[in-house]
Amino acid sequence: MPELNVDLSELASVAANAANMARTTGAALPRQWVLPAGADPISAQTVPRLNAHAEGLFNGVVGVLNKVQQMAHHVGA
């Protein structure tokens, strides 16, 4: 098998960039739920359903970002 030649400083730089990307992406996620636009029944029914859908998406994104952070930590180490 051929020998692997790795530039350690470049590898550490990639790890730092990946960790920074995960932090900035996580910071860009919305911090509040959407509120109904009005007191009408359509808004009152639709917004909770949309927030529940968004909750699943946000949890998935956070899970991926946590894995990126872990990978970056292991690569940087």
Side-chain angles (χ1 to χ4, degrees):
M1 188 183 318
E3 187 174 314
L4 183 63
N5 185 6
V6 177
D7 181 346
L8 295 179
S9 63
E10 185 67 24
L11 193 59
S13 175
V14 168
N17 288 340
N20 186 50
M21 181 269 314
R23 277 191 299 277
T24 56
T25 302
L29 290 175
R31 299 291 180 219
Q32 299 178 40
W33 297 117
V34 173
L35 299 175
D40 61 290
I42 294 173
S43 292
Q45 291 174 354
T46 302
V47 170
R49 189 175 69 240
L50 293 175
N51 282 335
H53 184 67
E55 179 181 19
L57 292 172
F58 294 156
N59 286 338
V61 169
V62 169
V64 169
L65 294 177
N66 285 335
K67 289 189 183 295
V68 170
Q69 282 284 9
Q70 290 172 355
M71 183 272 311
H73 175 75
H74 289 302
V75 169

